[in-house]
Amino acid sequence: MTLLEAKSLVYAYPGGVPALRGLDLRIQAGRRLAILGPNGSGKTTLLLHLNGTLRPSTGRIVLEGEDCGYSRSQLVAWRRRIGLVFQDAEDQLFAASVAEDVSFGPLNLGMQDDEVRQRVDETLVALGIQDLADRPTHMLSFGQKKRVALAGAVAMRPQILMLDEPTAGLDQKGSWQLLEVLTRLESLGTTLVFTTHDVDLAYSFAHDVALFKDGKVLVQGVVDTVLADAGLLARVELRSPFLMELGLKARALGLLADASPLPRNRDEVLNLFGPRAL
Amino acid sequence: MSAIDRTAHLNPWRHRSLTEKAVLALGMLLLAMIFPPFPTGALIAGIMASVTLLGARVPVRTWIACVLAPAGFLFLGALTLLVQFDGDRLSWAAGGGAAAAALIVRSLAGLFCLLFLALTTPASDLLAGLRRFGLPSEIAEVALLIYRMLFLFGDTAKTMDAAQAARLGHRGVRRRLHALGMLLASLLPRVMDRARRMEMGLAARAWDGEMRVLGRRPVLSMPALILILSLEAGTALLGVLAS
Ligand SMILES: Nc1ncnc2c1ncn2[C@@H]1O[C@H](COP(=O)(O)OP(=O)(O)O)[C@@H](O)[C@H]1O
Ligand SMILES: [Mg+2]
């Protein structure tokens, strides 16, 4: 089922070059979508359209079959359903303490104080930052700020959660924990959309991928099909995912049956070469 | 500013009720102004220093660092009370020693009162308190954003300054001034950009124009308040008896 759809969006920043040039995109319920493209290809600009921050000069955004409006109340209603986590966490944190900051969204949803308090606690625990609850937002590390910004959006339990370059700048453990949290969130019924320039991340984490180039979606489809097309990838100046290449090689060598799915993560690849020695 | 706020955030008394802390600090400040410095002012200075260091456990080094700068000005100012200038000769002023001591003690007492409040209560808590006290919410929200921005700009300015220094932009006074000018000039557009992005960030969380957050409001402890008030009554009584 299509939740959110962008139809032939065109947008140019004031006085600038065109950033979106007739872009189409569909977000399907329950399918993790990676928006994959090089820097400057318009990924962030697209996300800002999908939550109504920017308004296209032509084209429209359709939310569950209905055109989105841009009046103040319509925008608020829109943003209750579609959450956005900015690439730079500083853009989101404003309150004095972590718990206060996370309470902001749920209060905007009109929830009661007691419910909000409980929602904040749950969210902080889910993201493993409960001991930061009283910490001032300006006394956090980069990774902690990212998690608090994520908590602020997650606490609103949006239908769709969009993340702009979620793992950029995080260390290995931080990225891995983030993906785990996102997977758990998904099981509560949130559809995930994220932008990235990292093919390997898109391959191992997404179900679907939209290839981005110069303000347009070249193609949107299932990860295995889209990322297997080396010619297509070359057009967006990307190489095919390393794990996928390994998997195809393993197939060619007879280590992997033609019918079995390609390996998606480290362990699956390593298993191709026999059981792991302990 | 940032060091004081940092200390306040980590202080064990941060979560004591603001009423208790304000009644103690502002009450004592009032008494220090009303009553003569000896013995009341000296007593108040002693009480507030002990409460800050022993009660609220503010680190001694931080506290001393906060006292030193204002105390320096204070002593310099008091020096001028020691001497007098008659005609063309400088001489010791009659009673100058007593006047200088009185000024110093009274001012230190006042300083210790305010430092107690500043080192146990972050600016954001004070703002929340003022809001409850009747400060219009618009003003409180703007003040809160300014408070947040101060840290952002402080950090940005510090990073830019370090980047300039790394490219040897600070060698010599002229170059240093030039570099400072450039820093300030490029800080303004950054401020505007930050503000715009912050607005988008708030809007993305369904902000409808009113900034509500769920604060943790500590409960007022009656025994503590009664203790504070009796301490102040006792000090006042001493002041009345002595004068
Ligand atoms: N605030 C802005 N003002 C003017 N141009 C911008 C602004 N933000 C982005 N752009 C331009 O729009 C294009 C797309 O940028 P962006 O959406 O940020 O790309 P991505 O997120 O894929 O890196 C780029 O050419 C960029 O220079
Ligand atoms: Mg971007």
Side-chain angles (χ1 to χ4, degrees):
Chain A
M1 187 185 66
T2 302
L3 285 181
L4 186 67
E5 208 172 348
K7 293 189 170 174
S8 29
L9 298 185
V10 174
Y11 182 82
Y13 282 98
V17 283
L20 303 181
R21 314 164 187 242
L23 175 145
D24 294 291
L25 185 91
R26 285 173 318 282
I27 295 173
Q28 237 98 21
R31 300 207 42 97
R32 274 180 226 159
L33 174 65
I35 296 174
L36 180 63
N39 288 331
S41 58
K43 304 183 295 293
T44 302
T45 310
L46 170 64
L47 291 191
L48 293 176
H49 277 82
L50 293 180
N51 89 336
T53 304
L54 296 177
R55 195 173 176 167
S57 50
T58 60
R60 57 213 169 93
I61 312 279
V62 183
L63 182 54
E64 285 191 295
E66 283 187 39
D67 271 21
C68 292
Y70 290 82
S71 75
R72 203 181 163 108
S73 60
Q74 283 170 314
L75 282 174
V76 171
W78 184 348
R79 287 162 186 163
R80 288 175 178 187
R81 300 170 61 184
I82 316 289
L84 172 60
V85 181
F86 288 71
Q87 180 175 358
D88 186 351
E90 294 291 9
D91 293 349
Q92 268 181 259
L93 307 180
F94 75 97
S97 81
V98 168
E100 285 177 18
D101 202 276
V102 176
S103 74
F104 178 69
L107 283 170
N108 288 340
L109 296 179
M111 292 169 55
Q112 294 306 307
D113 285 7
D114 286 342
E115 278 179 284
V116 172
R117 199 161 285 130
Q118 195 185 343
R119 180 67 69 83
V120 170
D121 287 346
E122 275 170 24
T123 311
L124 294 181
V125 169
L127 271 71
I129 47 175
Q130 62 271 40
D131 42 329
L132 298 181
D134 289 324
R135 195 74 86 72
T137 43
H138 54 85
M139 281 171 61
L140 298 172
S141 75
F142 176 82
Q144 288 170 333
K145 278 183 188 162
K146 275 211 117 147
R147 274 206 247 179
V148 175
L150 177 64
V154 166
M156 297 174 75
R157 299 265 169 87
Q159 237 177 322
I160 301 177
L161 183 64
M162 310 188 293
L163 304 113
D164 199 3
E165 311 263 356
T167 58
L170 286 181
D171 59 18
Q172 217 176 17
K173 183 169 166 228
S175 315
W176 177 77
Q177 283 175 333
L178 177 84
L179 299 183
E180 208 182 47
V181 167
L182 291 177
T183 313
R184 250 183 291 152
L185 178 69
E186 201 172 38
S187 64
L188 295 175
T190 294
T191 297
L192 298 175
V193 177
F194 63 99
T195 69
T196 183
H197 55 260
D198 180 352
V199 247
D200 294 307
L201 175 69
Y203 178 66
S204 53
F205 192 63
H207 301 126
D208 291 344
V209 60
L211 273 194
F212 233 74
K213 164 98 171 161
D214 295 338
K216 258 193 247 177
V217 172
L218 277 188
V219 57
Q220 177 177 2
V222 180
V223 164
D224 281 339
T225 328
V226 175
L227 296 185
D229 190 335
L232 206 55
L233 283 176
R235 279 177 62 197
V236 286
E237 291 148 12
L238 292 171
R239 285 197 304 183
S240 57
F242 183 54
L243 290 186
M244 187 179 223
E245 282 189 23
L246 274 178
L248 292 172
K249 191 97 188 173
R251 249 187 206 159
L253 293 174
L255 289 170
L256 180 69
D258 281 351
S260 336
L262 291 170
R264 275 304 161 100
N265 55 43
R266 264 171 75 95
D267 288 342
E268 287 175 13
V269 170
L270 289 173
N271 284 337
L272 290 177
F273 300 96
R276 239 169 145 175
L278 287 176
Chain B
M1 149 90 197
S2 155
I4 291 182
D5 210 60
R6 215 164 265 258
T7 312
H9 269 291
L10 301 174
N11 190 274
W13 280 12
R14 153 144 199 230
H15 290 301
R16 292 206 77 101
S17 133
L18 180 59
T19 314
E20 293 165 26
K21 290 186 282 190
V23 167
L24 177 59
L26 302 181
M28 284 295 188
L29 179 65
L30 191 69
L31 295 177
M33 289 190 300
I34 297 175
F35 293 110
F38 295 105
T40 339
L43 179 68
I44 291 175
I47 292 177
M48 291 316 288
S50 333
V51 169
T52 311
L53 296 173
L54 304 176
R57 304 202 165 277
V58 169
V60 181
R61 280 158 152 273
T62 314
W63 187 77
I64 290 179
C66 292
V67 170
L68 276 183
F73 283 111
L74 185 58
F75 280 98
L76 278 180
L79 277 184
T80 60
L81 289 176
L82 289 179
V83 291
Q84 63 185 11
F85 195 63
D86 40 338
D88 46 12
R89 282 183 48 235
L90 208 58
S91 63
W92 293 111
L103 176 71
I104 288 175
V105 167
R106 180 171 270 164
S107 311
L108 281 184
L111 175 66
F112 291 179
C113 290
L114 289 179
L115 269 186
F116 164 73
L117 196 58
L119 289 169
T120 56
T121 317
S124 49
D125 287 8
L126 284 177
L127 275 175
L130 285 174
R131 193 169 175 165
R132 264 179 273 138
F133 214 69
L135 184 75
S137 64
E138 288 83 358
I139 297 181
E141 278 159 14
V142 171
L144 176 71
L145 280 185
I146 291 177
Y147 166 77
R148 254 296 286 163
M149 290 284 173
L150 274 179
F151 290 101
L152 282 179
F153 300 142
D155 285 350
T156 309
K158 224 185 288 171
T159 312
M160 285 163 69
D161 189 64
Q164 286 180 339
R167 285 183 289 163
L168 306 180
H170 290 173
R171 285 168 59 208
V173 176
R174 282 186 58 146
R175 220 176 317 191
R176 169 109 225 178
L177 274 178
H178 181 64
L180 181 66
M182 294 207 310
L183 189 151
L184 291 179
S186 65
L187 203 54
L188 183 67
R190 282 188 197 220
V191 172
M192 301 302 294
D193 186 52
R194 266 256 169 264
R196 198 178 47 81
R197 280 164 40 191
M198 174 83 81
E199 191 187 1
M200 295 196 317
L202 293 180
R205 289 198 278 164
W207 179 38
D208 55 10
E210 196 185 330
M211 259 191 270
R212 289 168 302 244
V213 293
L214 205 57
R216 179 128 82 84
R217 223 176 113 188
V219 278
L220 175 67
S221 147
M222 265 305 150
L225 191 61
I226 290 172
L227 185 70
I228 290 166
L229 289 174
S230 5
L231 195 62
E232 287 175 348
T235 312
L237 193 65
L238 180 77
V240 173
L241 290 179
S243 53

